[in-house]
Amino acid sequence: MLPALTELIRRRRSIKPVDMDSGREVDRALLVELIENATWAPNHGLTEPWKFHVFQGANRADLVAIMQQTYRETTPTAEFREDKLKKMGENPLLANVVIACVMERNGGTKIPEIEEIEALACAIQNLQLSATAAGLGCYWSSPPLLEAAPFREWLGLRSEDRCMGLIYLGWPKASLNWPRSVRQPVENRIVWHGCIARPM
Ligand SMILES: Cc1cc2nc3c(=O)[nH]c(=O)nc-3n(C[C@H](O)[C@H](O)[C@H](O)COP(=O)(O)O)c2cc1C
């Protein structure tokens, strides 16, 4: 009934930076359009609880430096992994763009924090669907270091703000076979109340 939208939603996949063409620029006007689409997400009280920090070009190296510094300084020795540190150094440079998505509490405490987080999640999905429609690959990454003090301070977050994820964006390599995914049959996830379940 909604073929174009259904196709887009189901085509979106997490595309890892290693499968992106880092040298192929994502145009500034396209980035603005993606982020503007993100801001059309529903949000309670129109607080628009978001800020998008865009890293492209040489700035990606600054992001790498603070991520690795934060990981080194805040990871307990028993959990520290050299391979994770290495990947942190590579991923932002393999993608053409990285967007740090911040839940920014603009409405005081009137709106519960969970609702501001939910609104940002809706915005991020708008961004990902828009990127997919443009032919870009994207991937939502949420390493624990986003919550750690050195990273938060570097990004200039206030105590009430939270960085909810890094969105890696880039044109997929020509050689990429677009990944497939699966979901449970939807009937397993629906409880019909007060209506007769019909075979789909
Ligand atoms: C809130 C959130 C955080 C995520 N964080 C990570 C992450 O840190 N690392 C990762 O590999 N994928 C992360 N993902 C992506 C999921 O792993 C991915 O969506 C899932 O594997 C399904 O694949 P698909 O996106 O291709 O449908 C995250 C997704 C969400 C919604």
Side-chain angles (χ1 to χ4, degrees):
M1 276 181 265
L2 300 167
L5 183 60
T6 299
E7 195 276 330
L8 173 65
I9 288 171
R10 296 183 192 187
R11 180 155 44 92
R12 183 211 55 79
R13 288 277 70 76
S14 294
I15 305 294
K16 295 293 171 78
V18 71
D19 291 318
M20 296 175 185
D21 181 349
S22 61
R24 191 174 159 200
E25 249 348 71
V26 180
D27 186 73
R28 169 72 68 96
L30 176 56
L31 277 176
V32 171
E33 189 172 359
L34 301 181
I35 295 170
E36 193 167 5
N37 284 355
T39 69
W40 280 91
N43 60 103
H44 194 173
L46 273 186
T47 57
E48 303 201 38
W50 37 61
K51 189 64 64 67
F52 300 91
H53 296 253
V54 181
F55 299 92
Q56 193 173 24
N59 292 329
R60 292 170 304 163
D62 300 338
L63 181 64
V64 163
I66 188 62
M67 284 170 73
Q68 290 191 321
Q69 180 197 325
T70 305
Y71 186 71
R72 276 202 194 89
E73 287 177 6
T74 63
T75 307
T77 315
E79 290 167 31
F80 188 89
R81 280 177 41 193
E82 205 55 56
D83 60 324
K84 275 200 173 176
L85 183 74
K86 184 166 175 279
K87 209 166 219 168
M88 238 166 251
E90 294 166 351
N91 274 345
L93 304 177
L94 289 171
N96 188 260
V97 183
V98 186
I99 305 178
C101 300
V102 171
M103 185 282 289
E104 195 178 75
R105 296 208 77 186
N106 298 323
T109 52
K110 194 172 54 129
I111 307 293
E113 184 195 43
I114 183 69
E115 296 191 6
E116 304 292 49
I117 292 169
E118 288 160 348
L120 178 60
C122 293
I124 294 175
Q125 181 66 346
N126 277 2
L127 196 159
Q128 293 197 105
L129 290 177
S130 301
T132 306
L136 286 163
C138 61
Y139 146 65
W140 184 339
S141 166
S142 54
L145 68 86
L146 302 184
E147 303 269 24
F151 184 83
R152 291 177 51 85
E153 281 161 24
W154 178 78
L155 210 51
L157 302 191
R158 302 166 305 170
S159 59
E160 62 270 39
D161 301 336
R162 290 175 70 178
C163 181
M164 305 307 303
L166 302 175
I167 299 297
Y168 290 86
L169 274 178
W171 298 105
K173 284 181 177 164
S175 57
L176 174 70
N177 283 322
W178 199 258
R180 292 173 177 275
S181 192
V182 286
R183 295 296 187 266
Q184 292 282 318
V186 71
E187 278 297 328
N188 295 356
R189 291 288 185 264
I190 303 177
V191 180
W192 297 102
H193 291 268
C195 44
I196 298 160
R198 286 175 302 181
M200 297 184 72

